[in-house]
Amino acid sequence: MGFSGFPDEALIFYEGLVADNSKAYWAAHKELYETAVRAPMLALMDELEPEFGPAHLFRPHRDVRFAKDKSPYKTHQGAYCGVGVEGVGYYVQVDADGLYVAAGWWMPGEQVARFREALDDDTAGPLLEGILAALPDDLTVGGDRLKTRPRGTAQDHPRLELLRHRTLHAGRRFEPEPWLHTPETLDRARSTWRALVPLVDWLRRHIS
């Protein structure tokens, strides 16, 4: 079955989960999650797969082993299409606040050094600056950032702000409007991911 939108019940489900993040709530509404959230998300990913590749649907349970917040369930449903580099790819989620569509790099670690090395390069660094500057104004750039400059980095480095990033991504937040319940959601997700292809391609080439 093709993607026809996320029903209003998907938002209602997450509104309830935010208010009562418990196993009792989940058990009582599991069928609603399956039909209003999981099934439409799978259908959306099926539609996007020919262009962006197969998707991974994130599990709804939180890993609370080392978390102060012991709430058992995530208050959103996310899905991710990787591009062959760990932590780099395309992301979409639905929650009580609507839809979020993004792409970029979410995995810090040894890739940070490669990212900074690429930014130091006089070709790759300005290229990333140009890609970010050319993004549509309604795409918000974010990521995990150092509060100070990286050790050994000159205070007058031309790309100092970018060098502070330990992850880098950009996305759009869509408020819940009537189109969310229609196939137009697919168009908006696809157009957002297409706008972010240059960023993903740069990251794939330079931090792999």
Side-chain angles (χ1 to χ4, degrees), residues 22 28 45 51 103 126-127 153 159 163 177 180 191 194 197:
S22 68
M45 293 300 98
E51 184 171 350
L127 179 58
T153 301
R159 289 174 289 282
L163 283 166
E177 297 182 9
L180 185 62
S191 64
R194 284 176 175 171
V197 166

Side-chain angles (χ1 to χ4, degrees), residues 135-176:
L135 291 177
D137 291 340
D138 62 342
L139 279 169
T140 301
V141 177
D144 178 32
R145 299 173 75 247
L146 296 174
K147 294 182 179 179
T148 58
R149 68 179 184 272
R151 184 177 302 176
T153 301
Q155 190 169 358
D156 61 349
H157 193 290
R159 289 174 289 282
L160 178 58
E161 291 306 309
L162 279 174
L163 283 166
R164 289 191 170 118
H165 277 267
R166 290 166 44 83
T167 63
L168 178 67
H169 44 78
R172 285 186 176 118
R173 163 61 72 176
F174 296 100
E175 300 297 324

